[in-house]
Amino acid sequence: MASRLLHRLRHALAGDGPGEGAAGPEAEQFPESSELEDDDAEGLSSRLSGTLSFNSAEDDEDEDEEDDEEAGSDPLPSGDRAAGEDTGPSSSHAERSPPPDGQRGSQLLTRQLQDFWKKSRSTLVPQRLLFEVTSANVVKDPPSKYVLYTLAVMGPGPPDRQPAQISRRYSDFERLHRNLQRQFRGPMAAISFPRKRLRRNFTTETIARRSRAFEQFLGHLQAVPELRQAPDLQDFFVLPELRRAQSLTCTGLYREALALWANAWQLQAQLGIPSGPDRPLLTLAGLAVCHQELEDPGEARACCEKALQLLGDKSPHPLLAPFLEAHVRLSWRLGLDKRQSEARLQALQEAGLTPTPPPSLKELLIKEVLD
């Protein structure tokens, strides 16, 4: 069995599919299948995420037969336990009574598995994210009717941190899939997507099937570096949140907007979006405005300081002067040092790079067009 595990682990780390005989007691140590099931496939998967779990003995059997291993799985915990049992005798006892040939070979293979895993860890995708559909609600908005899927986005960080969340419709996922297929034909060829159905779109089975498929679809996209950095994928996660947060801020609903700005900031931090500082800066501007309007100058000033660190000493950015002006005003209100920000703002004004006084963060936030 150990030789089969080593063979399967090598295939998983190399990105190949599993060999024959993957189903069985050993296969339970690995994550679920990396292949999406079609809507017409037999055997509805029973182990679904969040509030969409179903339990059926018949379904469990079907899923066990179809599940395969996936790259990035846990490093064989049962193998580690076996290693502890094999190497139980002390070194002095081992010198007096060498283990039999079969036991020595088992120890050698266990060490090979452990060494192979340690050397291969650096080749895995860094900071792999997990996606879980926590709820799926049928929304009736005459004349339309659709299912709204809410996904938790979980990444590296403190275990007590609340995951970021997004809510998307089937049409949002389909648009993302279509755009990525058009731009990345090669990488997208191996990634499946649940197809449209003409009827029975609102049954429990269809919603459960699609929930699991969407989790795996996003996980596969995140596992491919070329797709993970695609602007369309970045927009899928962050742009709707930013637009809703901006709309609520403009209408004065600051507490509701604050939650959306914070969620958007967490999403960008977890995704590691390489799209430049503009969206993170806009998010920090929204956070600063909402904290300021809700009489929390300390948090507002902290957001301004984060933004100024992102901007650094680069060429003047449209948000630089507004952040400096807000930082000066908030520092004065809190009785904190503001001389460095005052000097930078004055230098920009003397160079004619910003008007006097500069526009406020709120003014720029309202005028910003998110596309």
Side-chain angles (χ1 to χ4, degrees), residues 27-282:
E28 289 298 321
Q29 299 169 7
F30 294 86
E32 292 180 325
S33 170
S34 60
E35 295 182 3
L36 302 183
E37 298 176 355
D38 193 6
D39 285 344
D40 296 330
E42 296 181 359
L44 175 64
S45 172
S46 61
R47 288 199 295 272
L48 298 170
S49 303
T51 59
L52 299 173
S53 296
F54 293 86
N55 291 311
S56 168
E58 181 180 354
D59 291 343
D60 286 342
E61 290 178 4
D62 289 342
E63 186 194 29
D64 288 342
E65 293 176 0
E66 294 172 2
D67 277 357
D68 299 324
E69 298 92 49
E70 178 178 276
S73 58
D74 198 51
L76 302 178
S78 62
D80 292 341
R81 290 193 295 271
E85 294 169 1
D86 289 342
T87 57
S90 63
S91 58
S92 60
H93 179 74
E95 291 175 0
R96 293 193 304 269
S97 178
D101 292 341
Q103 185 177 352
R104 189 184 304 115
S106 176
Q107 292 175 0
L108 177 61
L109 184 55
T110 301
R111 286 195 298 271
Q112 287 176 338
L113 283 168
Q114 293 171 339
D115 293 342
F116 185 74
W117 172 257
K118 291 176 182 178
K119 293 177 182 178
S120 304
R121 287 178 68 91
S122 60
T123 66
L124 301 179
V125 177
Q127 297 189 349
R128 182 81 176 268
L129 297 180
L130 298 176
F131 304 95
E132 179 182 356
V133 175
T134 57
S135 67
N137 301 311
V138 178
V139 179
K140 296 180 180 179
D141 186 14
S144 62
K145 178 182 177 182
Y146 57 90
V147 180
L148 191 65
Y149 298 88
T150 299
L151 293 99
V153 182
M154 296 164 283
D160 58 344
R161 177 196 291 177
Q162 287 294 324
Q165 288 191 337
I166 60 173
S167 295
R168 301 290 184 268
R169 300 168 55 172
Y170 177 90
S171 58
D172 298 321
F173 286 97
E174 185 186 36
R175 187 182 308 109
L176 172 64
H177 180 252
R178 186 172 58 250
N179 291 342
L180 291 177
Q181 269 193 325
R182 188 165 49 244
Q183 301 171 50
F184 305 96
R185 291 179 179 270
M188 289 297 295
I191 298 179
S192 301
F193 186 79
R195 65 186 182 187
K196 272 189 175 181
R197 302 185 62 160
L198 297 179
R199 56 190 180 87
R200 297 178 60 82
N201 285 304
F202 302 101
T203 65
T204 301
E205 290 188 0
T206 299
I207 293 174
R209 238 184 241 283
R210 287 182 173 177
S211 297
R212 185 185 179 197
F214 290 149
E215 293 171 357
Q216 295 182 345
F217 173 66
L218 293 178
H220 293 166
L221 295 180
Q222 279 289 311
V224 181
E226 189 178 3
L227 299 176
R228 186 169 61 246
Q229 299 175 7
D232 282 289
L233 184 59
Q234 300 169 21
D235 290 346
F236 172 84
F237 282 108
V238 178
L239 192 55
E241 313 306 305
L242 294 179
R243 284 174 173 165
R244 286 197 291 268
Q246 183 188 42
S247 176
L248 290 172
T249 304
C250 293
T251 55
L253 299 174
Y254 299 112
R255 195 167 299 281
E256 293 84 350
L258 180 61
L260 289 176
W261 287 120
N263 188 59
W265 176 258
Q266 188 173 346
L267 278 170
Q268 292 172 83
Q270 289 182 340
L271 295 168
I273 292 178
S275 59
D278 286 353
R279 284 184 179 171
L281 287 173
L282 184 68

